[in-house]
């Protein structure tokens, strides 16, 4: 009974509603208690009415929960809400962003398959492909994110998957997702997009032709730095494989974290709007400062892919990177002069963060690899939070003053 309490009302009323309505309401099923907010179900297992009921549920003949590695009502609400927001047929939650990527590759690729990855992806994503997947016979090559001809040229007869992060971290490069999806499909391959930096509030890759997307929910979906999690979404036929892997291997999301993320999703678009508005102001302001050599932000007309960003995203994101004059020493002086902004490599938080990519997130790359990724010693990355803009400027001005 719990599941039917107002499910009919929700399912019929949520047809054709807008993004913000889905963000607040999609996927919720109330229990007979009538709770207004979503219930948390911290349970590992479920009881059956009879032995025959247990058998029918295990056989999948009757819908219902069996074990929380398979399904959990709070987690399912989160999955249905993400699917609704991404315009995907189905979503499945994972314990972290990395386990979302792992589950995509483990479920869709086999030994002997070839995977193409954009060069500028998250550091652990590269380690996962380089150190582990290669060991299991998956062939991996890297391509410059924005270069469509290079993607096409790098495809081999056994290319199974193209994996990209757009916009990239920390330099905010983009790829034309619709064009890349066409290339992938013409080669018989799938396109997967890490949509972490935009979230569905700014970009919906599946609507642009991508086959599958994933998130680190740890970032903007939570938005307040409280928990780890991830999610994969896509067409039902592909998701069947991903769900199968997750149920077997087990890096599934805890109900408590699913609940945190549900609360995060309810404010996702207003938060993203505020993050992006401040990021735009800061990027424009930084570009005017004498100690700054270059600002990387897709909302600036100086960004080489500004027009693509306008077409593909509804806003430009909240990560602003810039090079200061004076190399690593000046960059470190700048960072150490700030007093409010948090020195940490995390992002997607209400609290603004500042980091030096060359010696942190990209510190393990060789100098040549860093240079080819465009990460110079004078680069600083700011992930803009929700503090007052005037206070952010005042704190960054402390950095500018010591250049
Ligand atoms: C953080 C991050 C990940 C990994 O997510 P975790 O939740 O830390 O496992 C993957 N991709 C991007 C773009 C990220 O920022």
């Amino acid at each position: 009974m719990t599941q039917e309490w107002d499910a009919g009302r929700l399912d019929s009323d949520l047809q054709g509603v807008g993004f913000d309505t889905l963000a607040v309401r999609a996927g919720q099923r109330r229990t007979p208690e009538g709770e207004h907010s979503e219930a948390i179900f911290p349970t590992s297992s479920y009881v059956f009415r009879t032995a025959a009921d247990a058998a029918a549920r295990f056989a999948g003949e009757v819908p219902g929960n069996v074990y929380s590695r398979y399904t959990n009502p709070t987690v399912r609400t989160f999955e249905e809400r993400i699917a609704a927001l991404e315009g995907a047929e189905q979503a499945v939650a994972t314990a972290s962003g990395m386990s979302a990527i792992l589950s995509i590759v483990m479920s869709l690729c086999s030994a002997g398959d070839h995977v193409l990855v954009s060069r500028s992806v998250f550091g652990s994503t590269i380690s996962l492909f380089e150190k582990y997947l290669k060991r299991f016979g998956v062939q991996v090559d890297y391509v410059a994110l924005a270069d469509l001809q290079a993607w096409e040229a790098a495809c081999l007869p056994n290319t199974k998957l193209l994996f990209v992060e757009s916009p990239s971290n920390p330099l905010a490069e983009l790829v034309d997702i619709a064009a890349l999806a066409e290339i992938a499909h013409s080669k018989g391959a799938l396109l997967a997009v890490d949509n972490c930096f935009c979230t569905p509030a700014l970009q919906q890759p599946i609507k642009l032709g991508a086959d599958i997307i994933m998130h680190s929910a740890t970032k903007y979906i939570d938005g307040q730095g409280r928990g780890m999690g991830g999610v994969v979404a896509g067409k039902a036929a592909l998701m069947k494989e991903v769900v199968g892997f997750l149920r077997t291997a087990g890096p599934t999301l805890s109900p408590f974290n699913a609940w945190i993320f549900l609360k995060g999703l309810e404010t996702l678009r207003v938060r993203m709007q505020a993050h992006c508005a401040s990021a735009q102001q800061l990027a424009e302001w930084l570009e005017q400062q004498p100690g700054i050599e270059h600002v990387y932000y897709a909302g600036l007309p100086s960004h080489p892919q500004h027009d693509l960003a306008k077409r593909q995203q509804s806003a430009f994101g909240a990560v602003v990177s810039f090079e200061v004059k004076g190399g690593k020493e000046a960059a470190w002086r700048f960072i150490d002069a700030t007093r409010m902004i948090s020195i940490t490599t995390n992002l997607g938080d209400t609290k603004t963060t500042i980091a030096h990519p060359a010696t942190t997130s990209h510190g393990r790359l060789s100098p040549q690899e860093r240079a080819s990724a465009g990460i110079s010693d004078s680069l600083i990355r700011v992930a803009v939070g929700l503090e007052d803009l005037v206070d952010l400027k005042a704190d960054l001005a402390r950095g500018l003053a010591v250049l």
Side-chain angles (χ1 to χ4, degrees):
M1 289 311 288
T2 49
Q3 281 157 34
E4 286 99 48
W5 196 70
D6 66 0
R9 183 175 164 227
L10 285 174
D11 290 347
S12 55
D13 285 0
L14 288 185
Q15 299 298 323
V17 302
F19 185 93
D20 290 339
T21 305
L22 292 171
V24 171
R25 293 187 178 272
Q28 185 172 11
R29 287 173 183 76
R30 295 205 166 91
T31 76
E33 300 290 348
E35 71 282 354
H36 193 201
S37 179
E38 293 75 2
I40 310 182
F41 290 85
T43 183
S44 51
S45 56
Y46 305 85
V47 292
F48 311 102
R49 289 187 197 93
T50 60
D53 178 35
R57 282 210 231 169
F58 267 87
E61 290 157 6
V62 187
N65 301 298
V66 167
Y67 190 49
S68 279
R69 173 150 44 80
Y70 287 25
T71 57
N72 174 281
T74 316
V75 175
R76 188 185 48 209
T77 298
F78 171 62
E79 292 168 342
E80 290 185 8
R81 193 166 293 177
I82 285 284
L85 295 177
E86 289 284 0
E89 287 175 12
Q90 196 184 337
V92 64
T94 60
S96 66
M98 288 317 301
S99 52
I101 301 175
L102 177 71
S103 66
I104 290 175
V105 186
M106 291 300 280
S107 55
L108 301 180
C109 298
S110 305
D113 284 341
H114 179 228
V115 177
L116 288 174
V117 182
S118 58
R119 211 165 260 146
S120 47
V121 287
F122 188 67
S124 296
T125 307
I126 302 220
S127 306
L128 179 69
F129 281 104
E130 273 302 295
K131 213 171 150 198
Y132 299 101
L133 296 169
K134 279 189 169 174
R135 256 174 39 198
F136 293 92
V138 176
Q139 196 187 335
V140 185
D141 282 312
Y142 299 90
V143 180
L145 177 68
D147 189 346
L148 290 171
Q149 280 171 354
W151 283 102
E152 183 146 26
C155 283
L156 301 174
N158 59 337
T159 302
K160 185 71 196 278
L161 183 72
L162 276 54
F163 186 96
V164 300
E165 202 181 296
S166 177
S168 72
N169 172 35
L171 297 180
E173 270 187 302
L174 279 70
V175 67
D176 184 331
I177 293 173
L180 190 61
E182 264 181 43
I183 291 172
H185 297 156
S186 76
K187 304 284 184 182
L190 299 165
L191 174 62
V193 178
D194 182 336
N195 203 27
C196 185
F197 275 63
C198 273
T199 82
L202 307 190
Q203 167 174 283
Q204 292 158 311
I206 288 174
K207 293 187 177 169
L208 296 168
D211 299 284
I212 202 157
I213 64 104
M214 55 68 52
H215 283 283
S216 166
T218 317
K219 312 293 166 55
Y220 293 104
I221 289 177
D222 173 8
Q224 288 144 82
R226 299 164 293 190
M228 304 286 304
V231 66
V232 183
K235 296 194 182 82
L238 294 176
M239 292 307 298
K240 189 166 178 278
E241 303 302 321
V242 179
V243 167
F245 171 77
L246 279 166
R247 288 184 177 187
T248 307
T252 44
L253 185 65
S254 82
F256 183 71
N257 282 17
W259 183 83
I260 295 244
F261 299 150
L262 282 166
K263 296 293 112 186
L265 285 178
E266 290 176 10
T267 58
L268 178 66
R269 207 179 55 88
V270 287
R271 280 189 289 109
M272 290 311 287
Q273 251 170 356
H275 279 297
C276 295
S278 288
Q280 181 76 36
Q281 296 283 326
L282 284 179
E284 288 173 10
W285 175 74
L286 283 166
E287 211 175 31
Q288 305 301 319
Q289 304 305 314
I292 304 288
E293 256 176 354
H294 190 80
V295 180
Y296 298 87
Y297 185 65
L300 295 173
S302 61
H303 188 284
Q305 294 172 297
H306 180 59
D307 288 334
L308 172 62
K310 274 203 283 198
R311 207 163 67 232
Q312 183 160 282
Q313 302 172 195
S314 64
F316 303 107
V319 175
V320 179
S321 296
F322 50 94
E323 274 157 0
V324 295
K325 293 185 179 138
K328 180 185 139 186
E329 282 66 33
W332 278 24
R333 266 203 318 278
F334 185 111
I335 291 170
D336 291 345
T338 61
R339 290 213 231 117
M340 175 185 72
I341 297 175
S342 316
I343 305 177
T344 170
T345 56
N346 198 25
L347 62 107
D349 198 306
T350 49
K351 297 177 173 71
T352 298
T353 66
I354 190 164
H356 183 243
T359 50
T360 58
S361 53
H362 296 70
R364 270 182 287 171
L365 301 183
S366 69
Q368 293 90 323
E369 285 172 321
R370 265 200 301 282
S372 87
I375 314 287
S376 73
D377 284 351
S378 52
L379 187 75
I380 293 173
R381 191 200 72 183
V382 172
V384 181
L386 299 181
E387 301 94 337
D388 284 295
L389 184 60
V390 62
D391 297 327
L392 291 175
K393 278 189 184 167
D395 208 27
L396 292 173
R398 293 182 178 118
L400 291 167
V402 298
L403 286 179

